[in-house]
Amino acid sequence: MRKINTFWNWFQDNNQTIKNLINETPKTQNHLYFWLNRHLGYYCKELDFLIIFPKKEKEKAELIITANGNPMYFTQVTELIKKAPALRHWKFTAFIQPTENIDKIIEGLDEPYIFHEITIKTSEIKFLPLNYDEQTKKLDITVYLKNFKLYCNTKTWEQAIYIIIQDLLGEKSTYQNINFVQLAQMPNNHEELIHLYELQFFIDTMSGS
């Protein structure tokens, strides 16, 4: 409990500066991110954070605490957010939540992800099921990418696709429903493949939800 209070006391003292970080110099940003990460690490080193800055001045900034999909630390995430202070300019969220921009993705109007040399949109990705385990209710899938052979940096691709799936399904749903992801080059004829944005619908269908 003391470690939780220590984190939130520090955050509360610095919340205005953190909210305005997007307007600060890279040096100041790195300094604050370092200390935010350090104070979160004092509570639990396995947790991470994301900050969503408001597009309009009067909107709230959002601090998301994530366990990066590791269920061993889900409780720590929940307990930390339970004790979050009520701050007028902040919203505090446990776990990465499913995207609310599914309509934009379906229309191909989603913003691209940029990972090092890779730029990709969720709307451009397709998948096929490999296996569904009736006992664990978890799914193995093959994810098809347009430029997989071109870059072929498998580790970067794997990290990118995990982040995209997590953004699409939410952190807890990704852990609960996805077991294994295999990457492959998009074939020339891909009419039989399923759009990645339909993944949650496919999971619900398989599980009978």
Side-chain angles (χ1 to χ4, degrees), residues 138-152:
K138 288 192 175 186
L139 185 66
D140 298 339
I141 62 174
T142 300
V143 169
Y144 294 90
L145 305 157
K146 284 183 177 180
N147 297 316
F148 184 55
K149 286 182 180 176
L150 178 64
Y151 297 112
C152 219

Side-chain angles (χ1 to χ4, degrees), residues 29-207:
Q29 289 177 358
N30 290 337
H31 178 77
L32 258 294
Y33 282 134
F34 170 82
W35 284 109
L36 179 51
N37 192 55
R38 174 67 67 88
H39 280 84
L40 184 60
Y42 289 151
Y43 167 62
C44 179
K45 290 183 178 179
E46 304 302 322
L47 301 190
D48 211 339
F49 67 88
L50 297 169
I51 297 175
I52 299 176
F53 294 101
K55 292 182 179 178
K56 297 178 182 177
E57 190 176 338
K58 292 184 179 180
E59 291 179 342
K60 291 185 176 184
E62 183 177 11
L63 176 70
I64 301 171
I65 302 297
T66 169
N68 293 313
N70 190 334
M72 292 179 64
Y73 300 98
F74 282 1
T75 300
Q76 283 88 335
V77 173
T78 304
E79 290 301 313
L80 185 64
I81 294 298
K82 273 184 185 176
K83 300 297 181 183
L87 299 177
R88 193 173 69 175
H89 300 295
W90 282 93
K91 174 185 177 184
F92 302 109
T93 303
F95 308 109
I96 295 170
Q97 300 299 307
T99 181
E100 296 178 355
N101 296 322
I102 194 70
D103 290 340
K104 282 189 175 182
I105 297 173
I106 292 171
E107 294 170 8
L109 301 174
D110 50 317
E111 293 290 328
Y113 287 84
I114 300 171
F115 305 95
H116 304 294
E117 72 276 15
I118 297 170
T119 300
I120 190 165
K121 296 169 71 172
T122 306
S123 55
E124 298 171 342
I125 306 172
K126 292 191 173 184
F127 82 97
L128 277 181
L130 276 174
N131 179 59
Y132 181 72
D133 191 314
E134 290 287 349
Q135 288 188 321
T136 63
K137 305 294 185 185
K138 288 192 175 186
L139 185 66
D140 298 339
I141 62 174
T142 300
V143 169
Y144 294 90
L145 305 157
K146 284 183 177 180
N147 297 316
F148 184 55
K149 286 182 180 176
L150 178 64
Y151 297 112
C152 219
N153 184 334
T154 306
K155 186 175 181 182
T156 303
W157 271 119
E158 286 174 349
Q159 290 172 339
I161 296 307
Y162 176 77
I163 289 169
I164 290 171
I165 290 176
Q166 190 170 245
D167 282 351
L168 197 60
L169 302 183
E171 184 173 348
K172 295 188 88 171
S173 179
T174 300
Y175 161 70
Q176 291 164 354
N177 296 298
I178 302 297
N179 176 56
F180 173 75
V181 177
Q182 174 179 289
L183 305 181
Q185 174 65 30
M186 184 88 72
N188 291 330
N189 183 6
H190 50 82
E191 294 301 316
E192 299 299 317
L193 305 183
I194 307 168
H195 287 283
L196 191 66
Y197 59 71
E198 298 180 276
L199 181 55
Q200 186 63 63
F201 177 76
F202 184 87
I203 290 167
D204 292 343
T205 302
M206 293 295 293
S207 62

Side-chain angles (χ1 to χ4, degrees), residues 15-24 29 53 61 90:
N15 84 90
Q16 285 289 357
T17 306
I18 298 169
K19 183 179 183 293
N20 294 318
L21 259 187
I22 200 166
N23 300 316
E24 297 290 347
Q29 289 177 358
F53 294 101
W90 282 93

